[in-house]
Amino acid sequence: MKIGVVLSSGGGRGVYAHTGFLFALEKLGIEVAAVTGCSAGALAGGVFASGTDLRDWSKAIAEVKSQQFWTPDSWAKFFWEMVVNKGKGYTGLSDNKSAINFIGSNLSVQTFEECPIPFYSLAANLTQGSKTLFSSGDLAPRIMASAAMPALYRPVEVDGDLFCDGATIELSSTEAICCRHNLDALIVHHTATNREGPEGLDTALNNAWTLAEILNLLLYRNRPWYLGNQPIDYHHCRCGCGVPVIVVEPTLPELEWPLSKGGVDVQQAAEEQAEKLLAPYIDLLRNDPEKLSALAIKYQSQEENALKGHHVEKK
């Protein structure tokens, strides 16, 4: 079985959660044939795809200092840019160079082409107004391009175009790897916080760094097509190949900006939940794509019937 992995956006919390998820796959003996990631998923997925040992990466993010990825301007510079220059040309509170250097220092290879596992990074191209899936060139800047949250970070320049957080376009890119790599199954690990409704706004207004929380509210306001209302769900890919898709959505502790404390607990929670949820389906994942596909059809049918019943009830 050729199994691909999709890692969603999810901020700093997502970086730790995806790392725990990848540990679970390793424990379960699931070999990964291709990886695609957005934002937090691009960071964790890119490091993993480069061949870096997960234990080394886990140690790096457990001990990371905020100045290694977050270097905001001084108050004096911010005042000058916003008041004197009236914000002209000012694109973000923090430079992205430190974050790019941190990413690069944790990669085992420095380019997409050298990765032992094929890898794709989703970013938003501000220059062209389009979605971009990076699959070639230097890894570190293209991973950061996927993770540069608007207003907080300055956009990343790649080949003359400016890029920002891929989550502004899509929380994860399921179509990136299925058909390209003739996969038998896809596992999506979704860690983006649900920010729907009045509860999401209350969270934003009552947490520290409300500006960052409001950005999260805007980015994560809609849940992707593949999410159900349970920790594990099943679908078929919509890109045309129709491979079965297993979706894992763990329940995770919250982290506050700048997201450098409490990550170990998030990582452990994600690892334990992924291992528990996927363990009953290991034989199918290893040996039987047809039964896995039948399982996805069954669950989709149940969800469609439940949705129809909900609409009838509302009427």
Side-chain angles (χ1 to χ4, degrees), residues 182-288:
N182 195 28
L183 299 177
D184 295 303
L186 200 64
I187 304 177
V188 179
H189 191 237
H190 187 89
T191 64
T193 305
N194 184 3
R195 300 297 193 193
E196 294 177 308
E199 295 82 5
L201 180 59
D202 287 342
T203 299
L205 294 175
N206 290 301
N207 278 3
W209 285 87
T210 295
L211 283 176
E213 289 293 336
I214 287 176
L215 280 173
N216 284 336
L217 180 69
L218 294 172
L219 291 175
Y220 304 142
R221 65 190 182 278
N222 294 319
R223 287 166 67 80
W225 65 268
Y226 55 76
L227 287 183
N229 295 310
Q230 48 199 1
I232 188 166
D233 209 343
Y234 308 86
H235 297 275
H236 281 97
C237 186
R238 294 186 174 184
C239 69
C241 63
V243 304
V245 179
I246 299 178
V247 184
V248 176
E249 185 182 16
T251 301
L252 301 169
E254 290 282 354
L255 289 186
E256 292 186 2
W257 187 264
L259 311 177
S260 55
K261 292 183 179 179
V264 174
D265 294 334
V266 172
Q267 180 178 313
Q268 184 177 352
E271 180 179 346
E272 290 174 352
Q273 290 178 58
E275 190 174 358
K276 180 180 178 181
L277 291 168
L278 291 174
Y281 307 100
I282 285 301
D283 286 341
L284 296 184
L285 282 167
R286 288 177 180 163
N287 307 308
D288 205 331

Side-chain angles (χ1 to χ4, degrees), residues 41-257:
L43 177 51
V47 170
F48 172 72
S50 79
T52 298
D53 190 294
L54 284 175
R55 288 150 195 79
D56 294 335
W57 170 239
S58 177
K59 182 179 180 183
I61 57 176
E63 298 175 352
V64 67
K65 307 297 181 186
S66 61
Q67 58 267 28
Q68 290 178 269
F69 62 88
W70 173 243
T71 51
D73 292 328
S74 65
W75 284 110
K77 178 173 173 55
F78 179 74
F79 179 84
W80 179 270
E81 293 288 353
M82 297 304 292
V83 177
V84 179
N85 287 341
K86 298 180 181 178
K88 184 178 180 179
Y90 191 68
T91 56
L93 294 175
S94 175
D95 197 353
N96 51 55
K97 292 178 182 177
S98 293
I100 291 174
N101 290 336
F102 174 72
I103 295 167
S105 68
N106 285 284
L107 297 170
S108 288
V109 297
Q110 296 301 315
T111 67
F112 283 83
E113 291 84 353
E114 296 173 286
C115 287
I117 301 173
F119 169 64
Y120 299 81
S121 172
L122 170 64
N125 187 323
L126 294 174
T127 305
Q128 305 297 330
S130 62
K131 167 182 171 178
T132 295
L133 274 169
F134 290 116
S135 60
S136 62
D138 291 334
L139 278 166
R142 288 164 175 80
I143 289 172
M144 185 57 198
S146 178
M149 186 177 285
L152 296 182
Y153 284 100
R154 293 174 193 126
V156 178
E157 184 175 348
V158 178
D159 297 333
D161 285 354
L162 293 178
F163 294 86
C164 73
D165 200 317
T168 58
I169 288 182
E170 191 174 15
L171 298 184
S172 63
S173 184
T174 54
E175 87 287 357
I177 53 179
C178 293
C179 297
R180 298 185 193 202
H181 296 279
N182 195 28
L183 299 177
D184 295 303
L186 200 64
I187 304 177
V188 179
H189 191 237
H190 187 89
T191 64
T193 305
N194 184 3
R195 300 297 193 193
E196 294 177 308
E199 295 82 5
L201 180 59
D202 287 342
T203 299
L205 294 175
N206 290 301
N207 278 3
W209 285 87
T210 295
L211 283 176
E213 289 293 336
I214 287 176
L215 280 173
N216 284 336
L217 180 69
L218 294 172
L219 291 175
Y220 304 142
R221 65 190 182 278
N222 294 319
R223 287 166 67 80
W225 65 268
Y226 55 76
L227 287 183
N229 295 310
Q230 48 199 1
I232 188 166
D233 209 343
Y234 308 86
H235 297 275
H236 281 97
C237 186
R238 294 186 174 184
C239 69
C241 63
V243 304
V245 179
I246 299 178
V247 184
V248 176
E249 185 182 16
T251 301
L252 301 169
E254 290 282 354
L255 289 186
E256 292 186 2
W257 187 264

